């Protein structure tokens, strides 16, 4: 549980340096279709900033709230246009009740449905998509970044929003600089293509990182009465991997350990993993760890199975 200040100082420094270098490259490339490659690079950089904002939200970096909030606002609102307050609140509700139909916002049937019960209650677009939602899932993720941006702004106009003007100001600064730079350097057609590639891949990357963690795992209802350990472990899936995969997945591939110890610094999760796995075996709690491809197969297979009744 010890903090890792050197690790996070280096990680933040590298991310900021690559962020600045990527936008410098954007300016140097200028009016060229090669900007689509820069857009793909920036999608990766934005996602890594998202992972840092996630760790800050769990206070993995700083022990106290003020520095965590300040860094979260800078890495979230200002750098990538993701509302820190809204996302943090939403994510904490997910951690409190993972994969719970009534309490986890990540399994609310906004477009995708996650259980036969939700299929039976679905109407309109979710019901139409549910028939073949496993095939729609990845294409829909290309819209996820836009959804996060819009939801971030909408949340700040709701009653009781904290830090409304600070967050709105930082979001306005981000989008003003972002769209201003894109349309100042590129003609309209290339600018729109850049936005489509950058935001599409940004959403796809984030979605593909989070999807293996819980999709295809048991969906809980009010009938399920589980203790904390079982609620977290039985609804989560780990993804095996080495250092490269850990970096690409923001170390969220140790999802079981992260849910049991959400404020444990991310680089320590791999050390906790064998301890947690052994303990679960001792007490007879199912502990699922699989490869990346198998995790997607399980998640998409579950979504396809859920929509079977409509086919």
């Amino acid at each position: 549980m010890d903090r890792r200040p050197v690790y996070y100082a280096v990680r933040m420094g590298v991310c900021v340096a690559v962020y600045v270098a990527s936008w410098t490259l954007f300016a140097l490339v200028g009016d060229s279709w090669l900007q689509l490659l820069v857009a793909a690079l920036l999608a990766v950089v934005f996602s890594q900033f998202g992972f840092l904002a996630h760790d800050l939200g769990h206070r993995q970096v700083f022990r106290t709230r003020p520095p965590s909030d300040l860094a979260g606002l800078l890495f979230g609102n200002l750098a990538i246009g993701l509302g820190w307050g809204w996302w943090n609140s939403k994510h904490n509700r997910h951690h409190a009740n993972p994969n719970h139909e009534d309490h986890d916002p990540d399994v609310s049937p906004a477009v995708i449905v996650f259980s036969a019960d939700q299929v039976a209650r679905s109407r309109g677009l979710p019901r139409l998509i549910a028939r073949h939602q496993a095939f729609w899932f990845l294409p829909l993720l290309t819209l996820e970044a836009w959804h996060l941006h819009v939801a971030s702004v909408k949340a700040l106009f709701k009653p009781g929003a904290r830090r409304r003007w600070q967050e709105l100001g930082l979001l306005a600064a981000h989008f003003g600089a972002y769209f201003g730079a894109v349309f100042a350097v590129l003609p309209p057609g290339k600018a729109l293509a850049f936005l489509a590639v950058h935001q599409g891949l940004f959403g796809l990357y984030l979605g593909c990182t989070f999807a293996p963690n819980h999709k295809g795992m048991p969906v809980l209802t009010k009938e399920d009465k589980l203790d904390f350990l079982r609620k977290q472990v039985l609804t989560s899936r780990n993804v095996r991997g080495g250092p490269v995969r850990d970096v690409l997945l923001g170390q969220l591939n140790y999802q079981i350990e992260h849910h049991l110890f959400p404020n444990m610094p991310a680089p320590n999760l791999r050390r906790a993993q064998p301890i947690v796995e052994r303990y679960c075996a001792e007490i007879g709690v199912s502990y699922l760890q699989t490869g990346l491809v198998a995790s997607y197969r399980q998640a998409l297979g579950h979504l396809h199975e859920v929509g079977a009744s409509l086919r």
Side-chain angles (χ1 to χ4, degrees):
M1 301 300 292
D2 290 345
R3 291 296 182 269
R4 300 287 297 275
V6 174
Y7 164 84
Y8 275 110
V10 171
R11 181 175 166 188
M12 288 179 173
V14 169
C15 283
V16 171
V18 176
Y19 184 92
V20 172
S22 299
W23 282 115
T24 302
L25 180 62
F26 172 82
L28 293 175
V29 171
D31 182 4
S32 168
W33 285 108
L34 290 175
Q35 291 285 20
L36 299 186
L37 296 177
V38 180
L41 171 63
L42 276 167
V44 175
V45 175
F46 271 45
S47 298
Q48 290 295 327
F49 268 65
F51 298 151
L52 274 172
H54 167 273
D55 291 4
L56 287 160
H58 284 296
R59 298 197 201 173
Q60 295 176 14
V61 184
F62 305 104
R63 290 187 182 277
T64 57
R65 183 182 296 276
S68 299
D69 286 350
L70 176 60
L73 290 169
L74 294 176
F75 279 91
N77 292 56
L78 184 61
I80 62 175
L82 176 61
W84 166 255
W86 163 76
W87 184 85
N88 209 22
S89 173
K90 169 180 172 290
H91 192 63
N92 287 337
R93 296 200 306 275
H94 157 72
H95 266 265
N97 290 283
N99 263 27
H100 195 292
E101 278 193 346
D102 301 318
H103 304 302
D104 183 356
D106 289 351
V107 292
S108 61
V111 178
I112 299 291
V113 293
F114 300 96
S115 70
D117 220 25
Q118 289 182 344
V119 167
R121 300 196 307 266
S122 65
R123 297 290 182 273
L125 183 62
R127 190 172 184 84
L128 179 65
I129 289 178
R131 297 173 184 271
H132 302 287
Q133 63 182 2
F135 301 99
W136 281 106
F137 184 69
L138 292 178
L140 284 171
L141 286 181
T142 62
L143 302 176
E144 179 63 14
W146 296 110
H147 162 253
L148 293 174
H149 296 319
V150 172
S152 296
V153 174
K154 285 174 62 177
L156 292 172
F157 287 96
K158 293 181 179 179
R162 296 180 64 241
R163 294 187 300 265
R164 175 181 285 125
W165 299 114
Q166 295 98 316
E167 292 214 31
L168 276 175
L170 290 170
L171 287 173
H174 168 79
F175 289 118
Y178 178 71
F179 288 115
V182 171
F183 283 96
V185 172
L186 300 175
K190 289 178 183 173
L192 292 174
F194 179 92
L195 294 174
V197 171
H198 176 226
Q199 295 294 330
L201 292 180
F202 178 27
L204 183 64
Y205 185 178
L206 283 181
C208 286
T209 299
F210 285 95
N213 300 338
H214 300 283
K215 302 299 180 277
M217 300 302 291
V219 177
L220 306 180
T221 68
K222 60 184 178 182
E223 307 301 325
D224 296 299
K225 309 296 182 184
L226 300 178
D227 59 40
F228 174 80
L229 183 140
R230 287 168 176 79
K231 181 165 61 174
Q232 303 298 337
V233 174
L234 297 178
T235 60
S236 303
R237 176 195 295 110
N238 274 15
V239 176
R240 298 188 191 92
V244 173
R245 186 167 297 178
D246 289 356
V247 171
L248 290 176
L249 297 178
Q251 295 170 105
L252 294 172
N253 45 315
Y254 302 103
Q255 189 67 193
I256 294 173
E257 290 69 37
H258 171 57
H259 264 258
L260 289 173
F261 310 102
N263 62 338
M264 179 181 288
N268 294 350
L269 293 172
R270 64 181 179 83
R271 301 179 180 180
Q273 187 275 323
I275 302 171
V276 172
E277 185 176 19
R278 283 197 302 269
Y279 181 70
C280 287
E282 289 173 11
I283 64 174
V285 173
S286 177
Y287 179 104
L288 180 58
Q289 183 167 234
T290 185
L292 184 61
V293 174
S295 71
Y296 288 126
R297 187 184 301 119
Q298 292 170 14
L300 294 175
H302 170 77
L303 293 179
H304 192 62
E305 182 181 346
V306 164
S309 62
L310 297 179
R311 297 192 297 275

